[in-house]
Amino acid sequence: MEGASGAHHRDPFKSSVGRVAGQRRRQQAVTVGKERRESVVRAKRLRRADPSDHGDDGSMQLAVMGDEAAYKALEESTVNAVHNLKNLLKGSPAKRIGALQTLRHLLSCTAMPPVHVAIEAGVVTLLVDCLAFGSSEEQLFEAAWCLTNIASGDLQQTCAVEPALPLLILHLGEKSAVHVVEQCAWAIGNVAGDGEVLRDVLLKQGALHSLSRHLLSPVPSLSRTAAWALSNLIKGPSPKAAMELMKIEGMVDTLVSHVSKGEEDLVVEVAWVLVYVTSMSDFHVTLLLNAGLLPPLLGCLASSEQLSLLTPVLRTLGNIVAGDNSKTDVVLSVGQSLPGGIIGVLARCLESKHRTLQKEAAWAVSNIAAGSILQKHTVFNGGVVPPLLHLLATAVFDVRKESAYCLGNLCVAPKESREQGGIILEHLIALVDGGCLPGFIALVRSPDVEAARLGLQFLELVMRGLPNGRGPKIVEKEDGISALEELQFHENDELQTMSNTLIDRYFGEEYGLEEEYGPGMDVLRGSDDSSDYPPWRQGGGLTA
Amino acid sequence: MAQEVTQILLNAQSADGVVRKVAEDSLKQFQEQNLAGFLIALSHELANNEKPPDSRKLAGLILKNSLDAKETARKQELVSRWLSLDPAVKAQIKRALSQTLDSVVPDARHTSAQVIAKIAAIELPQGEWPELVGSLLANMGGPQVEKPAHLKQATLETLGYVCEEVSAEILAQEQVNSILTAVVQGMNASETSNDVRLAATNALYNALDFAQTNFENDMERDYIMRVVCEATLSPDSRVRQAAFECLVSIGSTYYEKLAPYMQDVFAITSKAVKEDEEPVALQAVEFWSSICDEEIEIQEEYSGDFTGDSEVPYFQFIKQALPALVPMLLETLTKQDEEQDQEEGAWNLAMAGGTCLGLVARAVGDDVVPLVMPYVQENVSKPDWRCREAATYAFGSILEGPSLPKLAPLVNVALNFMLSAMKDENNHVKDTTAWTLGRIFEFLHGPNVQFPVITQENLPMILTVLLESIKDSPNVAEKVCGAIYFLAQGYEEGTGAPSPLSPFFQSIVQALLVTTDREDAGDSRLRTAAYETLNEVVRISTEDTATIVMQLVPVIMQKLNHTLEMSVLSADDREKQSELQALLCGVLQVIIQKLGASDTTKFGIVQYGDQMMSLFLRVFSCRSATVHEEAMLAIGALAYSTGAEFGKYMTDFYRYLEMGLQNFEEYQVCAVTVGVVGDICRSLDDKVLPFCDGIMTQLLKDLSSNQLHRSVKPPIFSCFGDIALAIGENFEKYLIYAMPMLQGAAELSAQQVIRDDELIDYNNQLRSGIFEAYSGIFQGFKGNKAELMVPYAGHILQFIENVYQDKDRDDSVTKAAIGVMGDLADTLGPSAAPLFLQTVFYKDFLDECTSSDDQQLKETAEWALSTINRITNVG
């Protein structure tokens, strides 16, 4: 109960700066940690709100169905927000940032944000002003975010962003704050995702080099975003950008090192870059392989279960094995260290329940199966046949088609070892005995010309190849003749001719005679001729 | 036996160490063998008037220490030990103690009063010793029975202690009434003994918190106030001082009841400030300072938001008293001490008066200016240094509070004068002038200041003066550092353009480094001020001076290396070494944070990484808590800057990390280390996994310990979240340990009802920590391990609902809570839909947040809402 008797008195306010400053500094260090935690968590949440992550569950449609009045109100507030920003351009920085934030929220608040009204109200010019040099980090960040949201709209909306591109690219510079760079990269990635014209604009303005620098950023989210944006930028179809990227010094090593050491999220985006590079430049495939890409790449395949990672990795692998056979040999040999070898790993992907994985894996397998006789044997004995047969019988159409390519390729001998009429009889018999025929006959009936051709080609192999005239009989038994007859009047001349020839040859007057079928049945498909299979994906965007 | 005890107690105070040791050992032995007998013997020793005062006093002290301890765990142990004693033993001890209150030996009475209060603190909350208050009041006598003054004095003292020890709701109102009656009677002017009056006044000071009901009643309040005011006029200065202490306490506890008395109180305090002895005058000034505190707080509450539950009326006492109050305070300013600027912790009337004037300025704003400025102008050039110092002090005091348009013109005129006053012949004048310059820079300079007093034109001159004056005597130099500190701070938040300070950057840094090396830098905390100022200068520096900052790294590292080679022969040496190491680690922390924030400069840090780390590890091996803390902070910054590279240091660093987490005593060290674990998690991501078993074990131990300061617990929970975010599904193995801790803490916090600001604040922090843990775990498990969290989802939502209902919940808890809702929905997906569909509150909660002004909160709420909608619409 000393009260205040002398010993305790309030702190004099004419006091020493050291103690307070030290406390403040330590407090700041704690605050910095808190902010970093928050930004990590926040980034994860926003990234998940990315529609590309949600795939096809249709959830993004829900909000669109809201009542019209509410949407009208939303449009009105958007116009107001744009005007408000205009009025504040010369006002206090804090208010301006507030206005930008409001706008950014409006531009992301539903699945169908009112981007068009904002554009009509002239938002882009204002945002360009906000990106001017000397603007505060926060302002740059918010403006870039707004642009990101606008650029995630349709093509026309994305095109509206064009005047902002030079500044967005400039702010990718080394002196910008990390979160600003990341946001700009995001916006640019969205733009690049929207078509070749815009990609060309970005490339001309130097986006490629600016982005590529950040691939090496120690901030994980930034290197990831940079990789994602780059992958959109080099989509092509022209291979020029991909070539340009690979010319950058050290790029091959950077990509390889990311695949081997990066966190999974980063590997995903880098793998997409690899997808485009490997699909467009055989030369760079060789460089990448020499730099040691395969061990870590195949490692991902064996160890990860993430759909988002496996998809681009499989596609890259498919691109690699689509090249000459020596590359496939390297893949098979490096893959030996994996359990079940690379073919075993691919078999497991075929057994996955995800359609995308089934399809990507089948595509890779079909390319390996299009290789040398030894490679065909390896595939055949590597455990992929049961899942392929299963897929051919049960999967959705495009997966069935890919599986059919695999199985077909397994039965056709490579050009250089054309014994037995170009057929690997051992494989063919096993597959037919395994029950593949109904699957191929179903393809013959398909309205898809390519699939029908594939089915026809396989029926031809069976009818020609199986010993003792077993072929035509078994085709007839599986109701193949009616399938062939359906094509006799097909509008596609090639199919019409093929089916006519087959019916004439095997079920016409000469039914029962064995005769060699002429040319035209090389490998079932050219190594990477997959016109329904564009070597790029649609860009995702930020919506939150 | 009894004789023996006396001798042992006397021996235990012997100057001879050997004798003392033997005595202490036998006391200990006695206590262990027969606690009841021991305590009884002590109480009899204390009660026995035949015994020497010294043995009685020590007996009482040991008794007291057997009932209470500072440390919570020990205290609990002592309490239960006392409660488990035989009632007859306790009764016997209490009887002896009560009897002692009547002793003629003052020390014995005083000690006994303290012991009685300690027993009361244990027993009254248990409903025991109901007769205590009654029997004490009987000691006070009555109209017919006159009791001796020393008994009344000791009884009042006891009552005061009891009120101090026991919380207000334990005593029945009728007991409070009789205690107050006795106390107020004892304070009455008719009481002839000054000792009784003093004891009564001190008792009232402790009893004021109990007097809520009595202060509601006009008659009783008038009476209490009259008695207190009369006591401030007592001939005994001790009584006057105690009475003013009561007034100070009444001023803050019963502000809303003060209006009718303010005129009288002003007269009384004014007289005391002018005429009374310093200890009394200081309390009189303190009364006004505490009224300022109240009114500043009320204004902050009003300006904050009007929906607040503040029902305290705002009487503007300070504004009304201003014309008389300000002159009274100004008069105190010339009563300086010759030594005040050289002595740490000095306190005198001039300092108290200036401090109060500063508070007045904050309470009333512009109105104070016309009352103070004439005094400043009149005195600032007088030949007497006391006048010049007082005028400067007055000017510096009013720089916070009044509006900028009011102050800016005055300061613009005064600035040049102040700069030239740095050459004054008097040390005190220079000291206060430098401090005033610091205040000018603190409040009238900066990016958000409309009328900045520093311009491109005057900046060179200002710096010339400061860099010259930093060579002055230590106390002046220390204040100059403060001025540079605030000058630098005002240039914060640059737009990337070079700072106006850049051209002078090199010379400022140089001057500060020279200052830290001064022979006399240990005086007036100069070295600390110089280093902290260097830190601030570095913190606000812009890219164009990054090279200079980079060059500082080897310089500071060398200094740090030098401390490792200092010869440490004494505790003093050790302390000096520690202090230096702490300061230098602090500088490195700031530099790392600064250079690490930009990609272009980060390489510098990375390049010195190995060297810095090895220095930090060597500093750790010197073992000192403060150094530990600063080195930890620096390492946290380094981890963030180097990213995954930091992994290579982990093997060597890990044992210090663990030591930090084990440091219960210096809990700040523990807290900082917990923060560093978070930094490391964010840098290493899943590469932190090999260390997680050890870290988690230690964190769980910390949480279960009742020794660890509670403030560390919220950060530990957040740290769980950091770890889960980093190692993702690998957190699975810790789940069975972490979840019960989280749930337990959540339940405990939901049950808290005590309404005190500190606890409310703590509860909010705790909840934020718990939520951060949940968010991290959910996000970490999303994808492959989501099902592990299904069993906890109901409980977590329940907890969020509890928090939603809490009206004391602050913004950061709100944000964390709705974040968890979104994470829960996001991770568990449609399987969580039924939970949300059964719940009503979440929509209201999120609606509340989506209409918030806080953009981040709004954004999080919108995200959570869309996530929940997604799963409930699908499922």
Side-chain angles (χ1 to χ4, degrees):
Chain A
M1 69 179 271
E2 265 69 38
S5 333
H8 301 283
H9 58 77
R10 62 176 64 228
D11 289 335
F13 78 148
K14 187 183 155 192
S15 61
S16 167
V17 74
R19 202 183 311 236
V20 183
Q23 266 164 12
R24 188 167 162 262
R25 177 170 56 75
R26 285 185 286 273
Q27 190 51 47
Q28 242 161 9
V30 173
T31 314
V32 165
K34 268 200 181 119
E35 283 168 1
R36 285 177 185 154
R37 172 184 305 123
E38 248 174 46
S39 81
V40 168
V41 170
R42 190 158 155 251
K44 288 214 175 199
R45 286 179 185 148
L46 294 181
R47 198 163 267 272
R48 281 181 189 158
D50 185 331
S52 66
D53 278 6
H54 291 304
D56 41 16
D57 63 4
S59 61
M60 298 312 286
Q61 300 301 314
L62 293 170
V64 184
M65 303 308 178
D67 60 337
E68 279 177 31
Y71 199 74
K72 265 247 141 29
L74 178 64
E75 290 182 331
E76 267 170 39
S77 3
T78 307
V79 173
N80 289 340
V82 175
H83 289 179
N84 186 31
L85 176 62
K86 190 173 193 171
N87 293 334
L88 287 171
L89 271 189
K90 299 270 179 291
S92 89
K95 281 193 179 154
R96 194 156 59 235
I97 288 165
L100 282 167
Q101 282 169 340
T102 312
L103 192 58
R104 183 241 297 173
H105 280 278
L106 290 165
L107 290 177
S108 55
C109 56
T110 68
M112 213 172 73
V115 172
H116 55 287
V117 288
I119 293 175
E120 279 160 30
V123 73
V124 175
T125 337
L126 301 178
L127 292 174
V128 170
D129 282 347
C130 291
L131 287 176
F133 271 109
S135 308
S136 69
E137 281 175 18
E138 201 54 23
Q139 179 173 323
L140 291 174
F141 176 68
E142 292 296 341
W145 198 340
C146 289
L147 286 164
T148 308
N149 288 338
I150 295 173
S152 64
D154 60 34
L155 179 59
Q156 199 190 345
Q157 291 168 354
T158 309
C159 287
V161 171
E162 204 181 313
L165 297 182
L167 282 167
L168 285 172
I169 294 171
L170 277 172
H171 288 300
L172 293 177
E174 284 168 354
K175 297 192 176 176
S176 305
V178 169
H179 64 296
V180 174
V181 174
E182 186 171 350
Q183 199 55 54
C184 291
W186 214 323
I188 291 169
N190 273 343
V191 173
D194 262 334
E196 198 177 5
V197 180
L198 286 168
R199 281 199 278 281
D200 279 345
V201 173
L202 284 168
L203 289 168
K204 283 205 186 84
Q205 293 175 352
L208 189 85
H209 284 265
S210 305
L211 278 174
S212 67
R213 264 205 303 275
H214 296 291
L215 270 185
L216 283 171
S217 166
V219 181
S221 63
L222 178 53
S223 53
R224 199 161 58 218
T225 308
W228 167 76
L230 277 172
S231 73
N232 273 352
L233 200 58
I234 61 167
K235 273 175 185 177
S238 154
K240 227 181 105 201
M243 297 297 202
E244 195 66 30
L245 176 70
M246 296 310 288
K247 271 189 217 151
I248 294 173
E249 202 188 326
M251 188 49 66
V252 170
D253 290 333
T254 302
L255 294 175
V256 171
S257 121
H258 276 335
V259 175
S260 64
K261 288 188 224 143
E263 343 165 14
E264 197 161 271
D265 292 352
L266 174 60
V267 180
V268 169
E269 304 304 343
V270 170
W272 280 109
V273 172
L274 290 170
V275 165
Y276 303 125
V277 171
T278 52
S279 76
M280 291 186 229
S281 164
D282 205 39
F283 170 64
H284 287 112
V285 172
T286 312
L287 290 186
L288 285 164
L289 294 194
N290 291 344
L293 173 66
L294 277 178
L297 189 76
L298 300 186
C300 292
L301 214 49
S303 61
S304 174
E305 288 176 4
Q306 293 297 324
L307 182 61
S308 58
L309 176 64
L310 291 175
T311 307
V313 167
L314 276 171
R315 179 100 47 104
T316 302
L317 179 65
N319 285 341
I320 293 172
V321 295
D324 57 64
N325 289 346
S326 65
K327 294 195 180 98
T328 309
D329 280 335
V330 179
V331 169
L332 289 172
S333 114
V334 172
Q336 270 174 355
S337 60
L338 304 176
I342 182 65
I343 305 297
V345 172
L346 288 170
R348 280 197 293 283
C349 294
L350 290 171
E351 282 159 4
S352 140
K353 58 185 190 307
H354 291 291
R355 187 184 63 98
T356 343
L357 282 193
Q358 297 167 349
K359 185 172 161 184
E360 297 288 349
W363 189 63
V365 170
S366 80
N367 282 334
I368 302 176
S372 70
I373 187 77
L374 209 61
Q375 289 167 353
K376 285 172 196 269
H377 285 313
T378 313
V379 172
F380 191 84
N381 298 318
V384 289
V385 171
L388 284 172
L389 288 172
H390 180 73
L391 290 176
L392 180 68
T394 59
V396 291
F397 173 73
D398 52 349
V399 177
R400 274 193 285 140
K401 195 165 96 178
E402 287 300 331
S403 307
Y405 273 122
C406 296
L407 295 170
N409 280 343
L410 283 176
C411 299
V412 181
K415 277 188 193 134
E416 61 274 14
S417 55
R418 270 292 154 81
E419 66 278 335
Q420 300 171 9
I423 298 176
I424 305 173
L425 203 52
E426 180 200 348
H427 293 178
L428 181 64
I429 294 171
L431 293 182
V432 173
D433 290 348
C436 73
L437 210 50
F440 280 101
I441 291 172
L443 288 182
V444 174
R445 295 183 199 273
S446 147
D448 178 78
V449 174
E450 200 194 343
R453 189 198 300 122
L454 179 58
L456 279 177
Q457 287 172 323
F458 193 82
L459 290 193
E460 190 277 333
L461 282 182
V462 170
M463 293 192 284
R464 175 163 56 88
L466 290 193
N468 310 326
R470 228 185 101 203
K473 287 185 192 125
I474 194 168
V475 170
E476 185 181 14
K477 188 176 148 237
E478 296 293 346
D479 210 12
I481 297 180
S482 73
L484 288 171
E485 283 168 352
E486 280 173 33
L487 290 180
Q488 282 185 303
F489 306 100
H490 198 280
E491 59 200 24
N492 181 299
D493 290 341
E494 190 197 352
L495 291 182
Q496 201 183 347
T497 317
M498 275 175 78
S499 62
N500 278 329
T501 316
L502 285 179
I503 287 177
D504 287 351
R505 178 160 305 156
Y506 295 106
F507 304 108
E509 290 154 33
E510 297 139 277
Y511 188 18
L513 286 176
E514 279 184 40
E515 199 178 303
E516 198 168 308
Y517 188 71
M521 289 298 288
D522 272 341
V523 176
L524 284 168
R525 176 173 58 174
S527 56
D528 58 355
D529 167 28
S530 51
S531 50
D532 73 320
Y533 209 55
W536 67 84
R537 62 181 169 139
Q538 296 306 312
L542 177 73
T543 57
Chain B
M1 178 80 189
Q3 200 51 52
E4 214 174 293
V5 169
T6 308
Q7 196 49 54
I8 297 173
L9 286 168
L10 290 176
N11 287 350
Q13 301 171 72
S14 161
D16 182 341
V18 181
V19 176
R20 206 166 58 232
K21 177 84 173 50
V22 173
E24 282 167 355
D25 286 347
S26 41
L27 282 173
K28 209 170 158 195
Q29 204 183 354
F30 187 4
Q31 178 174 13
E32 277 162 9
Q33 281 167 357
N34 180 1
L35 178 67
F38 179 65
L39 296 178
I40 290 173
L42 290 175
S43 66
H44 285 166
E45 183 76 16
L46 177 61
N48 192 337
N49 279 328
E50 317 278 293
K51 298 292 182 181
D54 281 346
S55 72
R56 297 178 73 179
K57 194 176 169 186
L58 184 61
L61 219 62
I62 299 175
L63 261 179
K64 194 177 107 181
N65 291 338
S66 337
L67 295 162
D68 194 10
K70 277 210 176 93
E71 198 192 306
T72 327
R74 172 85 183 137
K75 182 176 178 157
Q76 275 308 317
E77 195 188 317
L78 294 176
V79 167
S80 32
R81 198 176 74 178
W82 172 263
L83 288 173
S84 62
L85 283 177
D86 184 337
V89 172
K90 287 188 277 190
Q92 203 180 340
I93 294 170
K94 287 189 263 184
R95 231 177 358 258
L97 290 168
S98 304
Q99 196 187 320
T100 314
L101 293 181
D102 200 9
S103 164
V104 286
V105 180
D107 267 351
R109 295 199 302 269
H110 174 71
T111 316
S112 175
Q114 288 179 316
V115 180
I116 290 174
K118 293 292 178 196
I119 297 177
I122 298 174
E123 294 201 345
L124 295 189
Q126 308 278 336
E128 291 179 27
W129 211 1
E131 70 280 13
L132 170 67
V133 174
S135 69
L136 284 174
L137 290 174
N139 288 344
M140 297 304 291
Q144 269 85 46
V145 201
E146 185 55 34
K147 293 282 184 175
H150 68 263
L151 174 60
K152 292 206 277 183
Q153 180 267 336
T155 302
L156 285 166
E157 195 179 3
T158 312
L159 284 170
Y161 287 149
V162 169
C163 289
E164 192 185 15
E165 292 282 342
V166 172
S167 62
E169 66 273 11
I170 299 297
L171 294 179
Q173 184 58 41
E174 123 202 28
Q175 285 180 315
V176 172
N177 289 345
S178 17
I179 291 175
L180 279 174
T181 310
V183 166
V184 172
Q185 269 169 10
M187 281 178 74
N188 211 305
S190 61
E191 173 59 55
T192 48
S193 157
N194 280 336
D195 287 342
V196 172
R197 230 179 146 187
L198 177 62
T201 314
N202 281 330
L204 179 68
Y205 181 86
N206 286 320
L208 279 171
D209 275 346
F210 293 73
Q212 299 284 353
T213 316
N214 312 83
F215 264 85
E216 290 299 325
N217 179 317
D218 290 352
M219 289 234 318
E220 294 181 18
R221 187 181 62 237
D222 282 350
Y223 186 65
I224 295 172
M225 288 303 291
R226 186 172 62 76
V227 173
V228 173
C229 290
E230 277 172 11
T232 66
L233 305 172
S234 155
D236 187 328
S237 72
R238 296 173 305 161
V239 176
R240 296 200 299 276
Q241 182 183 342
F244 273 115
E245 283 167 10
C246 288
L247 267 185
V248 171
S249 173
I250 292 169
S252 48
T253 315
Y254 299 108
Y255 172 85
E256 72 276 13
K257 304 284 179 209
L258 280 183
Y261 315 105
M262 283 309 276
Q263 208 136 18
D264 290 342
V265 174
F266 182 80
I268 295 168
T269 51
S270 177
K271 185 171 175 331
V273 169
K274 287 195 174 81
E275 299 165 9
D276 214 325
E277 294 164 29
E278 190 168 56
V280 183
L282 282 174
Q283 287 307 317
V285 174
E286 180 60 24
F287 172 80
W288 290 101
S289 289
S290 70
I291 296 294
C292 288
D293 286 344
E294 291 303 312
E295 298 201 333
I296 291 168
E297 193 183 328
I298 292 168
Q299 291 180 63
E300 276 168 2
E301 264 175 45
Y302 277 146
S303 68
D305 64 294
F306 287 89
T307 59
D309 48 1
S310 165
E311 283 139 24
V312 185
Y314 179 28
F315 291 117
Q316 308 201 338
F317 291 141
I318 299 294
K319 196 178 159 107
Q320 290 174 44
L322 208 57
L325 181 60
V326 169
M328 173 186 99
L329 293 173
L330 289 173
E331 212 174 300
T332 65
L333 298 184
T334 40
K335 301 190 174 154
Q336 305 97 329
D337 245 350
E338 289 280 0
E339 305 300 320
Q340 68 182 31
D341 291 324
Q342 277 76 31
E343 263 173 34
E344 202 169 341
W347 188 242
N348 57 44
L349 194 55
M351 294 170 84
T355 303
C356 186
L357 186 59
L359 291 168
V360 168
R362 286 177 56 201
V364 302
D366 286 359
D367 292 348
V368 82
V369 176
L371 294 169
V372 171
M373 283 317 288
Y375 176 86
V376 175
Q377 280 147 359
E378 192 192 320
N379 288 284
V380 80
S381 305
K382 279 196 178 159
D384 181 0
W385 74 265
R386 287 179 186 276
C387 294
R388 298 199 302 279
E389 196 277 340
T392 315
Y393 192 18
F395 185 64
S397 299
I398 60 164
L399 291 175
E400 187 189 6
S403 67
L404 291 177
K406 188 88 181 174
L407 286 177
L410 297 173
V411 172
N412 274 322
V413 173
L415 185 62
N416 281 334
F417 184 90
M418 292 290 160
L419 290 172
S420 56
M422 285 310 295
K423 296 197 182 68
D424 197 285
E425 61 189 25
N426 180 275
N427 174 287
H428 300 291
V429 175
K430 286 189 284 189
D431 184 294
T432 303
T433 303
W435 169 78
T436 301
L437 283 171
R439 302 257 304 169
I440 291 176
F441 302 153
E442 185 177 1
F443 298 110
L444 287 107
H445 154 63
N448 301 317
V449 175
Q450 266 178 312
F451 308 93
V453 295
I454 303 185
T455 59
Q456 284 225 278
E457 287 69 43
N458 64 16
L459 180 60
M461 208 233 308
I462 292 171
L463 280 166
T464 310
V465 171
L466 292 177
L467 296 187
E468 184 57 36
S469 299
I470 203 172
K471 299 173 192 153
D472 211 315
S473 51
N475 62 309
V476 176
E478 192 273 332
K479 295 292 186 301
V480 171
C481 286
I484 299 176
Y485 178 91
F486 289 113
L487 180 73
Q489 195 169 84
Y491 287 116
E492 198 171 0
E493 201 178 281
T495 53
S499 159
L501 226 43
S502 290
F504 313 96
F505 192 76
Q506 177 90 58
S507 38
I508 296 172
V509 168
Q510 202 51 44
L512 289 169
L513 282 177
V514 169
T515 306
T516 65
D517 282 334
R518 276 169 63 154
E519 288 282 318
D520 56 2
D523 300 349
S524 297
R525 306 179 53 79
L526 174 58
R527 184 174 289 114
T528 307
Y531 274 125
E532 291 296 357
T533 303
L534 178 63
N535 290 338
E536 190 67 2
V537 169
V538 167
R539 195 177 66 81
I540 58 94
S541 66
T542 43
E543 274 211 38
D544 50 314
T545 46
T547 5
I548 305 176
V549 176
M550 195 98 78
Q551 285 157 5
L552 265 177
V553 179
V555 175
I556 303 294
M557 283 201 305
Q558 204 192 339
K559 281 170 178 277
L560 190 52
N561 194 44
H562 184 69
T563 66
L564 295 165
E565 284 151 14
M566 279 164 72
S567 65
V568 177
L569 303 172
S570 62
D572 256 11
D573 289 348
R574 167 77 59 204
E575 197 185 334
K576 209 175 152 205
Q577 184 196 35
S578 300
E579 213 179 291
L580 259 178
Q581 289 176 337
L583 291 170
L584 291 165
C585 288
V587 179
L588 286 176
Q589 177 238 327
V590 170
I591 296 180
I592 295 170
Q593 199 165 309
K594 180 75 195 177
L595 295 182
S598 154
D599 278 348
T600 42
T601 48
K602 183 177 287 182
F603 76 91
I605 293 305
V606 177
Q607 137 200 326
Y608 286 117
D610 292 357
Q611 277 171 278
M612 283 198 272
M613 198 61 200
S614 90
L615 273 174
F616 293 146
L617 293 176
R618 288 175 64 200
V619 166
F620 276 135
S621 57
C622 295
R623 285 169 207 245
S624 153
T626 40
V627 180
H628 224 122
E629 187 181 350
E630 293 289 0
M632 272 296 171
L633 281 171
I635 287 176
L638 187 65
Y640 182 76
S641 296
T642 53
E645 287 278 295
F646 189 81
K648 65 179 170 184
Y649 307 125
M650 278 304 284
T651 331
D652 291 333
F653 171 55
Y654 179 73
R655 67 194 187 101
Y656 296 109
L657 188 75
E658 197 165 77
M659 270 164 55
L661 294 177
Q662 283 163 345
N663 199 337
F664 292 132
E665 294 81 32
E666 287 122 347
Y667 66 89
Q668 292 95 334
V669 176
C670 190
V672 162
T673 313
V674 170
V676 170
V677 171
D679 288 328
I680 291 176
C681 285
R682 282 182 285 279
S683 291
L684 297 190
D685 253 331
D686 54 357
K687 305 217 169 42
V688 77
L689 187 59
F691 306 96
C692 283
D693 281 358
I695 292 172
M696 280 301 293
T697 310
Q698 205 46 58
L699 292 178
L700 290 164
K701 261 191 211 160
D702 286 348
L703 283 178
S704 345
S705 156
N706 51 11
Q707 272 177 284
L708 184 66
H709 195 272
R710 67 177 188 188
S711 69
V712 191
K713 296 190 175 176
I716 291 181
F717 286 130
S718 310
C719 191
F720 282 178
D722 295 336
I723 293 174
L725 273 175
I727 64 173
E729 55 192 60
N730 290 306
F731 196 80
E732 180 178 358
K733 61 174 163 174
Y734 308 124
L735 202 61
I736 53 161
Y737 307 104
M739 288 309 289
M741 291 279 187
L742 287 163
Q743 285 180 314
E747 267 158 35
L748 210 65
S749 118
Q751 288 159 5
Q752 294 282 15
V753 278
I754 303 170
R755 314 217 4 93
D756 105 38
D757 284 351
E758 205 183 327
L759 194 63
I760 289 172
D761 197 35
Y762 174 71
N763 223 2
N764 276 323
Q765 288 173 19
L766 187 67
R767 290 167 174 192
S768 292
I770 294 171
F771 285 136
E772 278 168 350
Y774 284 145
S775 275
I777 297 173
F778 274 125
Q779 294 195 0
F781 282 174
K782 187 181 152 115
N784 294 334
K785 295 286 178 187
E787 75 283 355
L788 292 174
M789 290 303 283
V790 170
Y792 305 107
H795 181 278
I796 292 172
L797 269 185
Q798 178 63 52
F799 177 50
I800 296 175
E801 181 165 9
N802 278 331
V803 171
Y804 168 62
Q805 309 290 2
D806 178 8
K807 66 182 177 53
D808 293 320
R809 128 180 86 86
D810 68 19
D811 280 358
S812 62
V813 178
T814 303
K815 201 187 296 177
I818 56 166
V820 171
M821 275 203 280
D823 291 326
L824 187 151
D826 192 32
T827 297
L828 300 187
S831 69
L835 271 177
F836 282 103
L837 294 171
Q838 290 158 18
T839 317
V840 195
F841 83 94
Y842 85 88
K843 283 208 179 90
D844 298 337
F845 195 1
L846 289 172
D847 282 350
E848 177 192 308
C849 300
T850 46
S851 50
S852 160
D853 292 335
D854 179 339
Q855 288 300 338
Q856 279 209 8
L857 178 58
K858 202 168 150 175
E859 180 187 288
T860 310
E862 280 162 359
W863 168 79
L865 195 59
S866 75
T867 309
I868 296 170
N869 283 342
R870 193 175 74 228
I871 66 159
T872 48
N873 283 327
V874 168

